[in-house]
Amino acid sequence: MVLVVVEATEGAVLGDGVFQEGPVYVTVDEHGMISTVGTEKPKDSAVTLSAPLLLPGFVDIHNHGVGGSHDVAYSWTNPEFTLSKLPANGVTTVLASLLPMDRESYAASLDALLPVIAKPKPGHTRCAGIHAEGPVIRDAGALPNQNLNPSLEEFTEIVDMCQGHMKVMTISPSMEPQSDFRRTRLLLDRGIRVALGHDKHATADDIVAALRTASEYNDSTPHITHIFNVSKFHHRDTSLVNFGLCRSFPNNPTFAGLHPPTVEVIGDGLHVDTLTVAGLLSARTPAAVAFITDNILHGEPGLKSAYCGRELEVGPKGKGVYVEGTTTLAGSCLSLWDCLRFLVNEQGQNVAAACDMLSATPARVARIPRVGRIKPGYFADLLLASNDLRLQHTMIAGAVAFSFAGEVQRS
């Protein structure tokens, strides 16, 4: 039974680089799933909502929350705060990124998160699972420096605490050869995407060994966590960045049978310079690049919060989070909708390619089913936008989760 009909007068991004010229009509059934996608207006059904452009809902696979607690390290103890704000940024699906912390703090976040995973409230973004940033971390960067090399038993307990909802874990490859990649293999055995990162010490041999270990498993090519950040790059001293810039590996026995990892990048223009982003986008295809926020606060200029003993403040333009009173960048308050405009307006990407890096690619990396594309059988997670890329409506599972008043064209 069709309950909702959405019209895109100029066109729709369907996913995988496909832009369908308008008019495009998407019908939604009583379960919030897409029934049909076509260019013919459904008979005997009135259009519910209309806009020039229709885009798939964005998928943020690296987000620490945008506040709601006294300390940003504990934002996910109050998931409703973040999940209620993300629809305004076009984010319809998110992974909750957890920091390496003591067992009690980790459990507090999970106690709040586990009941809401895959069970979004009306008007709230869907939390599809957990991204664990650590605890097997060589270079902490801005992460808490707590228990960064747990035993296999401690590591297994952390994974078990997530009750099967861990989708991605960041792990430093230089930490693993001494244990024969046993922690990495545990993740692979459970179908968790291994993300290599936070490692300025990893050698080419370490990285190849991690890729070789993953190659023993089906569809398990590793990912790279926020490429360029908490890493190194040199033309002779090979690092994760060198591997992440490869569209294909050299015809060399060292790389036989291996595939380049997918990568993610923080698209705020602060964590990674725009010229560096341009280089990455020249080297890799949209199917290999996911844009993330790596949020720790929402972008309210002057907003302050604590973070593990430090005082933070959102910058005056609402673009970055800094150690209070300094110019030291401490985190992100990025909107994925701003990422879209950055990709199209500054990086020169077409809207279909840009949306892939915000929707289809991150969904595939995290193995989140039925999101990231406008396709029958997928969730009706839809973004209605103007031709100049102003967000008008966010729909999650066919229901309006966010609207900008006065900007929505109704038929």
Side-chain angles (χ1 to χ4, degrees), residues 300-363:
E300 178 184 335
L303 180 67
K304 297 182 180 182
S305 184
Y307 177 39
C308 296
R310 292 172 286 182
E311 293 299 317
L312 307 181
E313 183 175 9
V314 175
K317 296 183 179 180
K319 286 193 66 177
V321 183
Y322 299 85
V323 176
E324 187 178 8
T326 76
T327 58
T328 301
L329 189 64
S332 166
C333 54
L334 177 64
S335 155
L336 278 191
W337 194 263
D338 288 339
C339 272
L340 172 68
R341 296 169 69 95
F342 169 73
L343 283 166
V344 174
N345 297 334
E346 187 164 332
Q347 293 294 326
Q349 298 288 308
N350 65 61
V351 69
C355 283
D356 275 354
M357 291 184 276
L358 298 164
S359 301
T361 299

Side-chain angles (χ1 to χ4, degrees), residues 36-200:
T36 63
V37 180
T39 56
E40 297 292 330
K41 185 176 181 180
K43 295 180 180 180
D44 304 321
S45 296
V47 171
T48 309
L49 292 171
S50 179
L53 296 177
L54 190 61
L55 315 177
F58 296 159
V59 180
D60 191 357
I61 60 173
H62 191 147
N63 190 315
H64 294 283
V66 298
S69 177
H70 67 286
D71 187 307
V72 298
Y74 299 92
S75 289
W76 284 118
T77 62
N78 180 10
E80 307 299 347
F81 183 88
T82 293
L83 298 178
S84 68
K85 290 186 175 294
L86 293 183
N89 300 332
V91 177
T92 55
T93 302
V94 69
L95 293 187
S97 297
L98 298 184
L99 302 168
M101 302 183 74
D102 61 84
R103 189 189 186 284
E104 182 179 347
S105 298
Y106 212 82
S109 292
L110 288 173
D111 286 346
L113 275 168
L114 292 176
V116 305
I117 289 177
K119 301 172 184 176
K121 291 183 177 180
H124 286 201
T125 290
R126 175 189 306 106
C127 180
I130 306 296
H131 158 235
E133 193 167 13
V136 183
I137 295 295
R138 181 70 178 270
D139 296 289
L143 298 179
N145 193 10
Q146 296 185 33
N147 191 26
L148 299 184
N149 189 19
S151 67
L152 180 61
E153 292 72 25
E154 293 169 324
F155 182 82
T156 302
E157 182 184 16
I158 291 168
V159 176
D160 287 343
M161 287 170 66
C162 294
Q163 298 180 21
H165 293 295
M166 186 182 291
K167 296 288 188 179
V168 181
M169 177 182 273
T170 300
I171 193 165
S172 298
S174 68
M175 302 281 282
E176 285 294 87
Q178 61 266 37
S179 64
D180 194 30
F181 290 89
R182 286 183 295 171
R183 293 172 294 199
T184 297
R185 289 180 186 279
L186 184 145
L187 299 179
L188 293 165
D189 284 337
R190 300 196 184 189
I192 297 167
R193 181 74 68 186
V194 174
L196 308 176
H198 278 271
D199 203 337
K200 298 178 181 180

